[in-house]
Amino acid sequence: MRAPAPRGPLSQTVLTALTSGSIDADLPDLAAARIAAVPDLAGDEDIQLSLTLLYELHHQGLDGVDDALEWHPDLLRTRAVIEREYEVQLRAAVTVPADLRPEPTPQSVAAALFDLTGRDDGPSLSAYVGKKATDDQLHELLKHRSVYQLKEADPHTWAIPRLLGEPKAALVEIQADEYGGGRPERMHAALFARTMRGLGLDDTYGRYVDEVPALTLASVNMMSMFGLHRRLRGCIVGHLAAFEMTSSQPNRQYGNGFRRHGYDADVTWYFDEHVEADAVHEQIAGRDLAGGLVAQQPELLDDVLFGAAACLHADGRVGGYLIDRWSAGETSLRTVAA
Amino acid sequence: MTDAPVVLVACPDGPILVRGEVEIRDADGAVVPRRRSTVALCRCGASAIKPFCDGSHKAIGFRTDDEGSRPPEPLT
């Protein structure tokens, strides 16, 4: 990915370290000092971009940056400093309803996750897009989504070798479908790229990172954090279940928004595909994956529920932000110097 | 894989998941194209992409409470 522009002192220092290959041993201390003054890491541009840069070393890498830096101890320490506080803040901000106390059985866990994801208490971005969004706002939506959708499914794939038996088979079954069932042109990331091209956007991986705000990066960074840590395998599994359970009908509405502006089936293919695919995935993810994991390891129940609630929380913040900006007649993107 | 039995899972309050090689036909006998190896068939009646599920059962509150999770005990 092309290296994005820095957004403050920490991301500037991280970028310089990455591109020069000279990592100052004080970098973790700088990160610690920087986050100490930030009550909401998810909304901080400098910190979220720093995390994005550090996680990208584990995804597709950064242009001009030595691949070996992925495992540089001082970069890992820096990432750990930010992650520790980010996880603390997420656990404080995300609420799992107290009445959700499923038994450690696949059926009970699936029912609890469907219950949780069915408690819709926020404004609906998909409804806004379906009914109101302008053509410019559709372009903005795709730019936000491109940060994740061009690597769609990747953070959850990291969980596969951390699972055994039924939940592992379930995750592989879902991910195989996400990755096109052996046909690269049907990979969900490839379908999304097609939608972007249909709107005249550049589908290069990471092309619009500079334009999206911290909250958008924060939702993707949260997935990378959950996916990279075996300790958090319950969280990434719960996240996937919630993601799939809040996808089918919203994607119909997203597709309607593009149809309303005259875009053809080639552009809406991505959304139409998710209407059908995620109605399958949500069943597998709820029962066989999340339920299967909790049946094997009941101590992971709280993290599965937290991961699911964290998904709703992070997506809800992004959705609320977009609706607020658009309703005020403003752009939801950052102004980037040409 | 083709020798494996087809497995259908009746999902509580939801669709029927179908795993395995099976041909799906519409009322006129035409083959319904299958785009993924595991499919979900609508059984609430509200899907807009029948015979496949689109998650509409959640919106209409479809329930399968009367469906036991295992066969009923035989009457003695």
Side-chain angles (χ1 to χ4, degrees), chain A residues 254-274:
Chain A
Y254 287 126
N256 287 343
F258 287 80
R259 279 183 279 274
R260 187 164 51 76
H261 283 278
Y263 291 108
D264 64 12
D266 204 54
V267 162
T268 62
W269 185 6
Y270 172 84
F271 304 105
D272 300 336
E273 157 71 9
H274 280 75

Side-chain angles (χ1 to χ4, degrees), chain A residues 89-170:
Chain A
Q89 290 191 7
L90 280 169
R91 289 192 185 270
V94 172
T95 310
V96 175
D99 61 328
L100 275 191
R101 297 310 312 163
E103 297 296 313
T105 66
Q107 179 46 36
S108 183
V109 170
L113 289 168
F114 278 118
D115 182 356
L116 173 67
T117 53
R119 301 184 192 192
D120 185 15
D121 59 352
S124 165
L125 179 62
S126 57
Y128 185 101
V129 170
K131 295 185 182 128
K132 289 192 199 167
T134 65
D135 190 42
D136 283 345
Q137 290 165 351
L138 295 183
H139 284 73
E140 289 192 14
L141 176 73
L142 293 187
K143 288 180 176 180
H144 283 278
R145 289 291 161 96
S146 69
V147 178
Y148 173 61
Q149 251 76 44
L150 293 176
K151 57 169 158 262
E152 185 166 344
D154 290 348
H156 305 96
T157 298
W158 276 323
I160 292 173
R162 285 84 183 265
L163 304 178
L164 284 172
E166 183 183 11
K168 175 183 265 185

